[in-house]
Amino acid sequence: MIDTHCHIAGDEFVADLDAIVARAQAAGVDRAVCILASDDHVEMARMPTVRAAWPGVRFAAGIHPHASGKYAGRAAESAAITAAALTTVGDAVALGEIGLDYHYDFAPKPVQQDVLAAQVALAVERDLPVVIHTREAMADTIAVLTSAGQGRVRGIIHCFTGSADEARMALALGFYISFAGILTFPRAGDLREAAAIVPLDRLLVETDAPFLAPVPHRGKRNEPAWVTETLAILASVKGLSVEAMAHAVTENAVRIF
Ligand SMILES: [Zn+2]
Ligand SMILES: [Zn+2]
């Protein structure tokens, strides 16, 4: 099993990273994609430690929409910073997370769009998939992916929280859809309905640790081992055994990364 999106190079995991990796492996989660903020020097500097602690980990780097305000009028610089981060990683499997977040709206929308477009163009140039964060911004996200992606962009909508119609928009662009712990929340019926329409060969699961711990760990610091909780709910939504679902999402992860 693979946790396709976690932030285990973050401050929250410094104290007990080895224990977290051990619990993941004991749960059958032998691989993970660790998301790095390419303009966060402290997080970038922890990459070798994370790599040494977990041989099954791979990395992605990008500038999150929350951080994009710093690059107003300097979107090209944001792409240059991410390019440098990808060089530092060496064998990055994706560019991200990048995207648009109109819920928190920490940066003006046009700035978020410019920074996203510059990084999408870089991903196309490097032939890397993108890991997309989109919140209350699906139509604009699809518009930027279409224009900056030049018909060649591929990737994942991570921690999908949209409607079935929004899932269809992302699927039409060839994207994979990744579900996080929210899928397990009792009141997430609409999200489970959206998951039900996603073809089996486009589904992924992730923790987004340390955020959004699934039921029954809700409210705690999330960790990669708990991706199995989201997997179990996704399996029931699709009417499959947990084993069959694990096989499908693992194959999908291998294909996209
Ligand atoms: Zn995100
Ligand atoms: Zn994330």
Side-chain angles (χ1 to χ4, degrees):
M1 261 298 291
I2 176 168
D3 176 0
T4 63
H5 188 118
C6 59
H7 297 266
I8 53 172
D11 297 343
E12 297 86 351
F13 299 102
V14 169
D16 61 347
L17 183 62
D18 288 340
I20 280 149
V21 172
R23 284 198 291 272
Q25 290 172 334
V29 183
D30 56 342
R31 285 181 281 173
V33 176
C34 174
I35 305 293
L36 299 166
S38 42
D39 58 347
D40 181 336
H41 299 293
V42 175
E43 194 168 274
M44 286 298 301
R46 289 193 193 116
M47 185 201 50
T49 309
V50 175
R51 202 193 283 277
W54 194 350
V57 84
R58 295 293 179 271
F59 297 90
I63 294 176
H64 195 283
H66 289 344
S68 60
K70 281 178 280 183
Y71 305 100
R74 300 185 297 130
E77 191 181 325
S78 75
I81 290 167
T82 293
L86 293 171
T87 300
T88 301
V89 171
D91 57 353
V93 293
L95 192 157
E97 64 183 289
I98 57 177
L100 302 176
D101 193 316
Y102 295 170
H103 180 76
Y104 287 109
D105 232 354
F106 286 148
K109 289 175 187 176
V111 176
Q112 292 193 41
Q113 291 163 12
D114 287 351
V115 170
L116 173 60
Q119 293 183 97
V120 168
L122 175 65
V124 169
E125 187 186 306
R126 298 289 176 92
D127 194 25
L128 282 172
V130 289
V131 177
I132 296 293
H133 171 111
T134 180
R135 193 147 179 217
E136 294 169 24
M138 186 60 85
D140 283 3
T141 300
I142 297 288
V144 175
L145 288 171
T146 303
S147 60
Q150 307 158 55
R152 290 190 287 146
V153 69
R154 61 198 168 92
I156 298 160
I157 306 293
H158 110 86
C159 191
F160 183 83
T161 53
S163 64
D165 279 346
E166 288 175 334
R168 286 187 189 97
M169 290 166 75
L171 291 167
L173 202 62
F175 270 59
Y176 288 72
I177 300 193
S178 179
F179 290 91
I182 299 171
L183 194 74
T184 69
F185 294 178
R187 281 189 284 181
D190 289 352
L191 189 60
R192 287 186 286 274
E193 279 175 27
I197 70 105
V198 179
L200 187 59
D201 64 357
R202 299 282 197 91
L203 285 165
L204 294 168
V205 286
E206 63 172 88
T207 57
D208 205 12
F211 312 110
L212 296 166
V215 173
H217 308 289
R218 207 170 165 180
K220 296 185 195 150
R221 178 195 67 175
N222 201 358
E223 60 177 78
W226 298 344
V227 77
T228 53
E229 307 291 348
T230 301
L231 176 80
I233 297 296
L234 190 60
S236 76
V237 165
K238 299 299 280 186
L240 292 173
S241 69
V242 171
E243 293 71 25
M245 197 71 232
H247 182 75
V249 295
T250 302
E251 284 211 321
N252 294 346
V254 168
R255 201 182 313 117
I256 186 67
F257 293 122

